[in-house]
Amino acid sequence: MADASDDDIEGATLAGQDIVLLRHPVSPAFAGLVARITGYRETSGRAARMTETASLIVPLVIGFGAPFAIALGREPRPGERWASFTAGLTGFPVSIVSPGAAHCIQIDFTPLGAYRFFGRPMRLFADRIVEIDDLEDGSLIALRERLGAVRRWSARFALVERFLARRLAEGPAAAPEIGLAYGAIVASGGAVRIAAIAGEVGW
C-alpha cells in the first residue's frame, strides 16, 4: 500500500501502484468529530481478504467502483456487498473481502461526530452496516452522485469538506454527559472503569 499526493486519479493510477491511498488533512474545525478523510482506489483486479478489529470509529464510505464484501463477526455471505454505506460501533471484528477494483472516499467519524452528522441515535447503527440509500437521506445520495462525477481528488475532498462543515454545524450535539464519558474512555485508552464514569457524570 502506498500513499500518493497526486490529485489526478489517472496520474496516481499510472504510477504503477496496485492501491492508491490519499490521506486528506482533517480541518481543525472538525476536531473531536472527524478522525480521518481518505481516498482509496484499487487497480490490481485481485481480491484481497482483510480483518479489522473493533474500534471507536463510525465510517462513512462513498463508493464509485466495485463494492466490498463485508460482515461483522463472521465471513461475508454471497450477496453481502456494500458500495456506499456506514457502520455503527461493534464489539466484533470486521471481515472484508476487497475485489481489487474498489474505488471510494471514506470519512471516519468519532461517535460524537457521527451523532451530529447523521442526527440519529447511534444505537440505531450499533452492530449494523447500513446502505446510504436505506438512510433515505437525499443530501447524502446527492453528495455521492456529485463525488462520482468528479475526476480529481482535490475537488472531491473540497466537496466533502464543504458538506461536512454544513452538516456538522447544523447537527445536534450530544449531551454533555456523553462527551465526558467518551472523553474519559479515549483518554484512558479504554482502561477507565465504567462505574467511575457513571459516578462522574451522575448516570
Side-chain angles (χ1 to χ4, degrees):
M1 184 176 294
D3 290 332
S5 58
D6 195 328
D7 286 334
D8 184 79
I9 294 173
E10 298 305 323
T13 302
L14 291 176
Q17 300 161 345
D18 288 341
I19 296 178
V20 175
L21 180 65
L22 295 153
R23 295 187 177 95
H24 181 67
V26 176
S27 168
F30 306 149
L33 303 174
V34 178
R36 282 179 299 274
I37 302 173
T38 308
Y40 181 82
R41 186 172 188 179
E42 300 172 340
T43 60
S44 71
R46 298 185 299 273
R49 186 177 301 273
M50 299 170 279
T51 301
E52 294 185 357
T53 57
S55 71
L56 284 176
I57 290 298
V58 178
L60 172 63
V61 176
I62 300 175
F64 321 116
F68 297 95
I70 307 176
L72 305 178
R74 57 174 173 78
E75 287 298 304
R77 299 186 182 111
E80 288 186 313
R81 299 290 186 270
W82 307 92
S84 296
F85 61 93
T86 186
L89 298 183
T90 180
F92 299 108
V94 182
S95 298
I96 304 170
V97 179
S98 185
H103 183 189
C104 62
I105 192 165
Q106 179 168 332
I107 305 157
D108 290 331
F109 294 100
T110 69
L112 301 180
Y115 173 67
R116 183 173 292 191
F117 180 85
F118 291 108
R120 307 181 191 198
M122 287 294 96
R123 65 177 180 274
L124 301 179
F125 298 86
D127 295 323
R128 294 182 60 201
I129 305 171
V130 183
E131 278 280 2
I132 282 181
D133 290 342
D134 293 336
L135 293 174
E136 298 182 349
D137 186 329
S139 61
L140 265 182
I141 294 171
L143 175 67
R144 178 183 61 192
E145 300 307 313
R146 292 178 66 194
L147 289 171
V150 173
R151 295 292 297 171
R152 295 184 67 84
W153 282 108
S154 58
R156 283 179 174 165
F157 289 135
L159 275 173
V160 165
E161 282 214 347
R162 290 195 296 271
F163 190 84
L164 286 174
R166 183 172 67 254
R167 285 282 289 246
L168 293 174
E170 297 172 353
E177 293 87 349
I178 297 294
L180 285 171
Y182 173 73
I185 292 170
V186 172
S188 70
V192 64
R193 294 180 61 84
I194 297 302
I197 295 177
E200 182 177 353
V201 302
W203 286 2

